[in-house]
Amino acid sequence: MRLLTDTAMLTRRALRETMRQPANELANIFIPLFFFVVTVGAVGEVAKTAFGVSDYKGFQLPVAILQGAAGVAGGSGLAMTTDIQSGYFEKLLLTSTPRFAIVFGRMFADAIKAMNMFLLPQINVPILGVVENMAWFTPAELPHNKYFIFGQGGGKKLALESRSVLLGQIPIVQSIREGGGDEKPAMLQTDRIVSEAFLNVAKNTLRQVAVRNETLGPTQVVQMVTG
Amino acid sequence: MSAIVAHQLVKHFAPDIKAVDGIDLDIPEGQIFGFLGQNGSGKTTTMRMLTTLLKPTSGSARVAGIDVFADPGAVRRKIGVALQEVGLDDLQTGRELLTLQARLFGVSTFDARSRIKELLEVVSLSDAADRAIKGYSGGMRRRLDLACALVHRPSVVFMDEPTTGLDPITRDAVWQYVNELNKDAGVTFFLTTQYLEEADRLCHDIAIMDRGRVVSRGSPDQLKAEIGADAIGLTFADNATAVGAEEPLRQLQGVADVHISESELVLYITNGSAAVADVVRALDDAGLSLKELRLTQPTLDDVFLRATGHHLAAEKKASIPAKAAS
């Protein structure tokens, strides 16, 4: 509980900082947009004539969005470095807050900022929901035990804050990592805990897609106006 | 009960850099304890170990009855820390920073509000509380840092050179508040300082550190009494003259000790006022000319000189900056 409340307070602090230096966030929007315009202008026609891609803009848009999200995360890393250099990080370490809350606060703020980028009126990509990764740890020999090593309820909280839903929770299970190494997707594993977790996310995602299709119109291609 | 106990605390940063070289401490609850020493003597390193920020090379320590290295989280709940480097978040306001700090220590929103109001008045920041910290002067930042250390009502407070950079009025206010907290709430203070006046006026007990070791320990009055003589300070044109003066002066009756630091010689002698004429005569007979002579009661600087062989930095003993950023 303490982890959650402290993470929420530190998230608010990180978001407050964002509001107070909007120029940093503008860069996160401007740079991906610049590359988006340049790439579409330079390659769009080639893609159309050589490869028959009729909507190169639609193809390139997720890249720009991901680039923006990566910029947000990078800015956050820089903010953490600033805290360390200024000595404020030590002040936080000297409080009785759980250590994870200091990092989680920044991560949550990043997630909220990235989500808000999707929701910008010019982009307007609906958020289907939140998937909480590493939600708990379950050892193979005790499949019914859950150890919430990073705290409990973070995904639900983020879903509430972003006014979306929790699509599911993926636990830390050794077989997921092993399956990745053996090119065996977790979904197709015989481990019931893992396959159920992924199946649950898939089902909820489908449901949310249906809800989205019921309540919202078709996705519009981003319109760029020059001049 | 002891508030702070350390046993053979050692910190080596490299095999040959002994920042702290085997310190033993036993500080009772409710004491204001001062760590006096020059830069690099090991004061801050000791404090960082006691406040859970640094692991020792060897040794053990307990703060507020809790093992510092076995249960650092529990120690942090009991202590307040104002470090030498004032680390603040420039994008927040003073009030926001204090509120976050209080809440991260588990203080309720209601209690935090009244506590912060009280602390802002003590550190004279009520008017600036809702301004961004990036606009604060150096003195304001230090005062806010002090308030951060006290916001959760800790039972043991560590302060690393707490009044450096403060103007005299705020410095007095801080001393007064430290005294009040100590008397009224029984808060134990562990402070490092380079200011002799601060140590003399504030501390019940003092440890003098030199090259990672405690070289002298006691109350200010005890330490001064140990010298057992008046101090005659003699300033010569250069170090060679001061060294040349040592031998003839040691021949005088009642000389307890002689210390030389650069061009200055301090003669500890019983019944100093009567001995002044003999001192001048002895120097005249030796053909040594004197620039300045001062007769004083022993000060903490004399204690420091005797314990370490050198003065605490001259500018520190002279006075605390008369005008600092406010």
Side-chain angles (χ1 to χ4, degrees):
Chain A
M1 193 60 198
R2 183 80 201 278
L3 179 66
L4 271 184
T5 52
D6 286 9
T7 300
M9 283 187 282
L10 289 161
T11 301
R12 276 197 290 276
R13 175 220 161 200
L15 290 173
R16 230 172 13 230
E17 282 184 352
T18 305
M19 310 277 278
R20 286 172 188 172
Q21 42 186 5
N24 290 6
E25 301 310 313
L26 280 178
N28 289 331
I29 296 168
F30 176 76
I31 293 169
L33 208 59
F34 171 77
F35 283 108
F36 178 67
V37 171
V38 169
T39 317
V40 168
V43 188
E45 278 306 305
V46 178
K48 196 173 185 179
T49 50
F51 305 110
V53 179
S54 59
D55 184 13
Y56 187 74
K57 276 189 273 186
F59 171 73
Q60 191 64 20
L61 183 63
V63 178
I65 291 172
L66 283 176
Q67 202 179 1
V72 168
S76 204
L78 194 65
M80 189 78 99
T81 310
T82 307
D83 278 352
I84 292 169
Q85 284 173 341
S86 72
Y88 185 62
F89 190 72
E90 276 196 338
K91 194 170 288 305
L92 292 175
L93 287 180
L94 282 165
T95 64
S96 57
T97 189
R99 292 294 181 266
F100 280 127
I102 300 171
V103 181
F104 284 179
R106 285 266 172 220
M107 285 168 59
F108 262 59
D110 281 354
I112 291 169
K113 281 191 277 181
M115 282 179 173
N116 285 332
M117 282 182 68
F118 282 89
L119 296 175
L120 282 173
Q122 294 82 355
I123 296 170
N124 196 23
V125 175
I127 295 165
L128 295 176
V130 172
V131 178
E132 185 183 357
N133 197 14
M134 300 188 186
W136 63 82
F137 167 67
T138 293
E141 65 278 15
L142 293 165
H144 300 294
N145 285 23
K146 291 180 178 179
Y147 300 95
F148 296 92
I149 51 183
F150 299 123
Q152 199 175 352
K156 198 171 176 184
K157 192 170 177 58
L158 184 58
L160 272 173
E161 283 179 9
S162 61
R163 280 178 244 147
S164 61
V165 298
L166 182 64
L167 294 173
Q169 295 167 298
I170 310 295
I172 302 174
V173 179
Q174 196 171 327
S175 65
I176 300 179
R177 211 274 315 150
E178 288 170 349
D182 298 341
E183 297 176 4
K184 213 192 281 179
M187 182 66 204
L188 301 176
Q189 286 180 21
T190 50
D191 186 334
R192 209 169 51 82
I193 295 169
V194 173
S195 58
E196 266 180 14
F198 279 91
L199 200 61
N200 192 37
V201 171
K203 276 182 189 166
N204 287 334
T205 306
L206 279 174
R207 189 176 302 128
Q208 286 307 112
V209 168
V211 170
R212 178 248 171 271
N213 289 341
E214 279 291 313
T215 52
L216 298 171
T219 303
Q220 298 296 311
V221 174
V222 174
Q223 296 298 318
M224 287 182 298
V225 182
T226 54
Chain B
M1 192 180 154
S2 299
I4 302 168
V5 180
H7 180 64
Q8 280 302 298
L9 208 53
V10 173
K11 183 67 189 178
H12 295 176
F13 285 110
D16 54 338
I17 301 173
K18 295 176 180 176
V20 176
D21 196 13
I23 280 183
D24 291 308
L25 290 172
D26 190 347
I27 302 167
E29 273 181 354
Q31 194 171 70
I32 302 177
F33 181 85
F35 235 27
L36 204 58
Q38 286 189 317
N39 285 334
S41 59
K43 308 185 301 286
T44 299
T45 305
T46 305
M47 182 177 278
R48 290 177 77 82
M49 286 192 282
L50 293 174
T51 54
T52 78
L53 285 173
L54 199 60
K55 283 194 172 166
T57 305
S58 63
S60 61
R62 297 181 82 81
V63 172
I66 305 159
D67 189 320
V68 176
F69 312 116
D71 195 358
V75 170
R76 282 192 284 269
R77 278 190 283 277
K78 299 276 186 186
I79 63 172
V81 185
L83 294 172
Q84 199 173 341
E85 300 287 328
V86 177
L88 300 171
D89 177 4
D90 279 357
L91 292 168
Q92 295 191 76
T93 67
R95 195 185 305 278
E96 283 168 352
L97 186 95
L98 284 170
T99 306
L100 180 64
Q101 198 74 6
R103 298 287 289 122
L104 292 179
F105 271 112
V107 180
S108 72
T109 313
F110 181 78
D111 286 346
R113 203 170 293 143
S114 58
R115 177 72 173 152
I116 288 164
K117 188 171 180 285
E118 175 195 335
L119 279 173
L120 285 169
E121 278 168 20
V122 169
V123 296
S124 314
L125 282 176
S126 300
D127 293 342
D130 296 309
R131 276 165 38 199
I133 294 167
K134 67 180 167 193
Y136 283 20
S137 68
M140 290 165 84
R141 295 169 76 88
R142 182 157 281 278
R143 282 182 272 155
L144 181 63
D145 194 45
L146 285 179
C148 281
L150 300 169
V151 77
H152 57 296
R153 300 182 196 277
S155 62
V156 182
V157 176
F158 291 85
M159 292 175 155
D160 197 2
E161 305 199 5
T163 54
T164 302
L166 294 187
D167 61 89
I169 293 167
T170 312
R171 182 199 64 203
D172 280 346
V174 169
W175 285 355
Q176 196 183 334
Y177 190 61
V178 165
N179 264 323
E180 275 173 20
L181 270 179
N182 174 256
K183 279 184 189 147
D184 302 343
V187 175
T188 306
F189 283 88
F190 181 106
L191 57 95
T192 73
T193 183
Q194 295 187 58
Y195 296 141
L196 296 161
E197 187 191 352
E198 185 164 84
D200 210 355
R201 267 187 55 181
L202 209 56
C203 299
H204 302 137
D205 207 4
I206 289 171
I208 294 175
M209 272 201 92
D210 191 42
R211 298 185 188 93
R213 288 179 165 275
V214 173
V215 290
S216 192
R217 167 100 192 252
S219 72
D221 288 342
Q222 269 173 353
L223 291 173
K224 283 184 268 188
E226 275 174 19
I227 290 180
D230 295 332
I232 299 177
L234 305 163
T235 306
F236 297 93
D238 50 40
N239 176 255
T241 316
V243 171
E246 182 177 358
E247 196 47 42
L249 292 174
R250 277 197 185 274
Q251 307 302 322
L252 297 175
Q253 209 172 11
V255 172
D257 209 350
V258 176
H259 276 285
I260 299 170
S261 175
E262 296 179 1
S263 61
E264 195 173 290
L265 183 150
V266 182
L267 181 72
Y268 299 101
I269 191 164
T270 49
N271 201 2
S273 53
V276 167
D278 293 339
V279 167
V280 173
R281 202 173 299 120
L283 292 174
D284 196 37
D285 290 349
L288 299 168
S289 60
L290 189 62
K291 283 180 76 176
E292 193 182 319
L293 183 148
R294 297 173 308 283
L295 172 65
T296 58
Q297 295 292 307
T299 63
L300 271 185
D301 193 35
D302 296 314
V303 173
F304 193 87
L305 177 65
R306 201 162 87 142
T308 66
H310 46 81
H311 282 292
L312 198 54
E315 69 273 20
K316 305 291 181 193
K317 71 172 178 170
S319 70
I320 293 172
K323 196 174 180 182
S326 57

